[in-house]
């Protein structure tokens, strides 16, 4: 049983949620309507044959009555149980682009048959008759482009007796839910903050230290190590060894990156769903889905390089994920991203969230209002390097009325002016499309002016 949806651009991974088996006790098995009507017709025909003294007519009713009595006598006794097991992640397709959710529906019952109706997110799916004979496990597969908590599948199960002559009471709908973690697409190059922190890391800093490229050759001073003495330079500059010269290197440092997701907007490519009266189509990835995947990809790129990455949310005031490194930090960030969702009307912030000194800020937003742009401009004015990632999906304007087209045009022009103003204030903008990796590489190779220079306060 498969519930098709448009496959995502990259296969996400899945996190199982806890779910207890659903066991529903059943009442007595009842005859079906067809069996009841056939038995009544055969009994009426038998009575007519007896009253009219027509044995040939009465004989015609004997066989259906015997079969009905035999089927009713063989009615199963007991309860039908339904349990969802899983889900897990299936093998990807040959092109590696189809991520699928899988769950296993376990049906147990005393009857030989059962009717199973499977759906997802309120939509009808497969409706099949399966043979049980005690226990039957049915694989259920669903494709999704969404991330975060969602329904894998829901099922209605009803037991059927021999020859379909009796039915059990239908079980209440059983549902299996899971949390879909965003994918982590590889990125080759990513921008760095203007100032690096720490005494160890993968990037050469401007401070003198150890482990990096050659900085200069300097006369020996207290605190310099003897193994740093450059004897060739010493012999050339001070043949009488009155002064020693040491080689100084640039220290290695790490970058601190804070990912900021704007969860206040969760809009799809259809502008008619932005009002909230209509839900986005299940086959469309929303702006928040794109923000989750973009943030997960950027977090992986920095963490693979040995940098420290944190996560904050503009829409919800909760404790942020503190900057950290390592594989476990990536798991924390992906899990926090999967649980990010709009939670009512967000309170207006009087000041932007506090960030570590010299951190690179990456803001994932649709920039449909002034809040995210205002916060990004404040961070830039404070001296941080700020990269704004536009996660608004490609819009579908077909089927819009004239007034809806006019409203969309006004909103688009306002958004364009807002982003142009951000660019004038020094915020670097990237649109999350198929060429986002190329745009981030261009930012990584661009010379960044001194943080805060020329930025209005």
């Amino acid at each position: 049983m498969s519930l098709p949806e448009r496959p995502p651009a990259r296969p996400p991974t899945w996190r199982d949620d806890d779910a207890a088996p659903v066991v529903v006790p059943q009442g007595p098995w009842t005859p079906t309507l067809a069996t009841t009507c056939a038995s009544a017709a055969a009994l009426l025909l038998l009575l007519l044959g007896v009253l009219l003294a027509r044995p040939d007519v009465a004989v015609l009713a004997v066989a259906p009555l015997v079969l009905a009595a035999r089927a009713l006598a063989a009615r199963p006794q007991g309860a039908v149980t339904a349990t969802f097991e899983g889900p897990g992640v299936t093998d990807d397709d040959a092109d590696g682009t189809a991520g699928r959710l899988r769950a296993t529906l376990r049906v147990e019952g005393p009857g030989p048959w059962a009717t199973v109706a499977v759906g997802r997110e309120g939509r009808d799916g497969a409706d099949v008759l399966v043979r049980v004979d005690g226990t039957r496990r049915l694989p259920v597969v669903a494709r999704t482009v969404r991330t975060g908590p969602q329904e894998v599948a829901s099922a209605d199960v009803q037991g059927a007796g021999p020859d379909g002559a009796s039915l059990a009471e239908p079980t209440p709908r059983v549902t299996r839910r899971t949390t879909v973690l965003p994918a982590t697409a590889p990125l080759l190059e990513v921008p760095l903050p203007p100032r690096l922190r720490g005494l160890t890391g993968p990037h050469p800093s401007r401070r003198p230290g150890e482990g990096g490229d050659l900085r200069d050759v300097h006369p020996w001073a207290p605190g310099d190590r003897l193994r740093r003495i450059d004897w060739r330079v010493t012999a050339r500059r001070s043949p009488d060894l009155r002064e020693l010269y040491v080689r100084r290197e640039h220290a290695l440092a790490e970058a601190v990156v804070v990912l900021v997701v704007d969860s206040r907007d969760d809009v799809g490519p259809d502008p008619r769903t932005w009002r909230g009266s209509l839900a986005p189509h299940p086959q469309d990835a929303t702006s928040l889905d794109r923000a989750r995947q973009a943030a997960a990809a950027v977090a992986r790129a920095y963490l693979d390089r040995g940098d420290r990455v944190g996560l904050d949310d503009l829409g919800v005031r909760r404790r942020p994920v503190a900057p950290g490194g390592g594989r476990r930090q990536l798991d924390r960030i992906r899990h926090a991203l999967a649980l990010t969702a709009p939670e009512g009307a967000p309170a207006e912030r009087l000041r932007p969230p506090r960030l570590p000194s010299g951190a690179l800020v990456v803001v994932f937003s649709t920039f449909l209002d002034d809040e995210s742009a205002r916060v990004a401009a404040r961070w830039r004015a404070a001296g941080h390097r700020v990269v704004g990632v536009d996660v608004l999906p490609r819009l579908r304007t077909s089927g819009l009325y004239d007034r809806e087209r006019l409203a969309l045009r006004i909103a688009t022009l306002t958004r364009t002016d807002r982003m142009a103003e951000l660019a004038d204030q020094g915020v670097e903008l990237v649109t999350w499309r198929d060429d986002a990796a190329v745009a981030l590489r261009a930012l990584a190779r661009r010379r960044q002016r001194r943080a805060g220079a020329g930025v209005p306060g």
Side-chain angles (χ1 to χ4, degrees):
M1 292 174 288
S2 180
L3 309 177
E5 289 187 11
R6 184 182 305 168
R10 295 181 179 90
T13 54
W14 325 103
R15 173 185 172 273
D16 296 346
D17 289 342
D18 296 332
V22 178
V23 181
V24 181
Q26 304 275 308
W29 292 55
T30 58
T32 61
L33 181 62
T35 302
T36 303
C37 295
S39 301
L43 183 60
L44 179 61
L45 186 61
L46 179 61
L47 292 178
L48 288 177
V50 172
L51 295 177
L52 298 177
R54 294 287 304 273
D56 54 340
V57 175
V59 169
L60 293 176
V62 172
L65 286 176
V66 171
L67 293 177
R70 179 183 176 185
L72 294 178
R75 283 185 298 176
Q77 301 293 329
V80 177
T81 62
T83 305
F84 261 123
E85 302 174 346
V89 60
T90 68
D91 295 334
D92 302 326
D93 292 343
D95 56 357
T97 59
R100 296 176 291 176
L101 288 173
R102 172 184 291 176
T104 302
L105 179 62
R106 178 178 178 179
V107 180
E108 297 184 27
W113 303 92
T115 59
V116 180
V118 181
R120 185 169 185 266
E121 301 291 348
R123 294 174 290 115
D124 295 334
D127 192 353
V128 295
L129 176 67
V130 298
R131 188 172 185 85
V132 178
D133 286 335
T135 302
R136 180 71 183 272
R137 288 179 172 84
L138 304 174
V140 180
V141 180
R143 298 185 180 185
T144 181
V145 296
R146 298 292 183 83
T147 54
Q150 58 185 272
E151 181 181 289
V152 179
S154 59
D156 298 313
V157 181
Q158 186 176 22
D163 301 326
S166 59
L167 293 175
E169 291 292 330
T171 65
R173 176 167 297 181
V174 290
T175 304
R176 190 67 167 101
R177 301 188 63 87
T178 190
T179 301
V180 182
L181 302 182
T184 56
L187 298 176
L188 298 179
E189 295 184 45
V190 286
L192 293 175
R195 295 198 309 268
L196 300 175
R197 301 183 59 185
L199 298 178
T200 60
H203 312 291
S205 67
R206 299 179 181 179
R207 301 188 308 272
E210 296 183 4
D213 298 331
L214 176 64
R215 185 175 186 266
D216 59 9
V217 178
H218 191 271
W220 185 87
D224 292 336
R225 298 183 179 181
L226 296 179
R227 64 184 181 89
R228 292 292 180 185
I229 298 177
D230 193 327
W231 294 107
R232 292 184 179 180
V233 177
T234 300
R236 185 172 60 251
R237 295 186 179 182
S238 179
D240 54 357
L241 299 181
R242 291 183 177 180
E243 193 170 17
L244 301 177
Y245 288 86
V246 295
R247 297 170 58 91
R248 297 196 305 182
E249 299 173 343
H250 288 288
L252 293 179
E254 61 186 4
V256 177
V257 183
V258 178
L259 310 178
V260 182
V261 177
D262 185 5
S263 65
R264 297 172 302 125
D265 295 329
D266 189 11
V267 297
D270 189 356
R272 292 174 296 185
T273 63
W274 291 6
R275 296 175 295 180
S277 58
L278 298 176
H281 198 276
Q283 295 181 356
D284 295 331
T286 64
S287 61
L288 192 54
D289 295 324
R290 296 166 58 86
R292 293 185 184 119
Q293 294 186 357
V298 173
R300 174 188 173 184
Y302 283 105
L303 291 173
D304 287 346
R305 288 165 173 79
D307 296 322
R308 300 170 60 201
V309 181
L311 177 66
D312 204 345
D313 188 356
L314 281 182
V316 181
R317 294 188 178 182
R318 61 166 60 98
R319 179 174 297 179
V321 179
R327 179 65 184 179
R328 296 188 62 181
Q329 179 71 3
L330 179 60
D331 295 337
R332 294 189 197 97
I333 291 177
R334 294 177 66 197
H335 179 62
L337 287 171
L339 299 181
T340 300
E343 297 183 6
E348 183 178 358
R349 291 180 179 267
L350 299 179
R351 60 180 62 89
R354 299 182 61 181
L355 300 177
S357 176
L360 169 67
V361 187
V362 186
V363 182
F364 304 88
S365 176
T366 59
F367 298 103
L368 288 174
D369 58 8
D370 295 330
E371 180 67 19
S372 56
R374 181 183 64 84
V375 173
R378 291 281 297 274
W379 278 326
R380 179 61 188 139
H384 298 280
R385 185 179 185 181
V386 182
V387 178
V389 181
D390 177 19
V391 294
L392 185 68
R394 297 182 184 273
L395 302 182
R396 292 196 301 263
T397 59
S398 59
L400 296 180
Y401 296 109
D402 292 340
R403 60 181 181 180
E404 293 174 339
R405 292 180 182 272
L406 179 59
L408 178 61
R409 180 173 177 80
I410 294 175
T412 302
L413 290 176
T414 305
R415 176 176 175 271
T416 303
D417 294 341
R418 184 179 298 114
M419 297 180 69
E421 184 178 356
L422 277 178
D424 293 339
Q425 293 177 344
V427 177
E428 301 163 284
L429 299 176
V430 175
T431 302
W432 190 258
R433 297 282 190 265
D434 296 335
D435 57 348
V438 178
L440 290 176
R441 179 186 298 181
L443 291 183
R445 299 181 179 182
R446 178 185 303 174
R447 287 184 59 88
Q448 177 74 6
R449 62 183 178 178
R450 182 174 58 86
V455 181

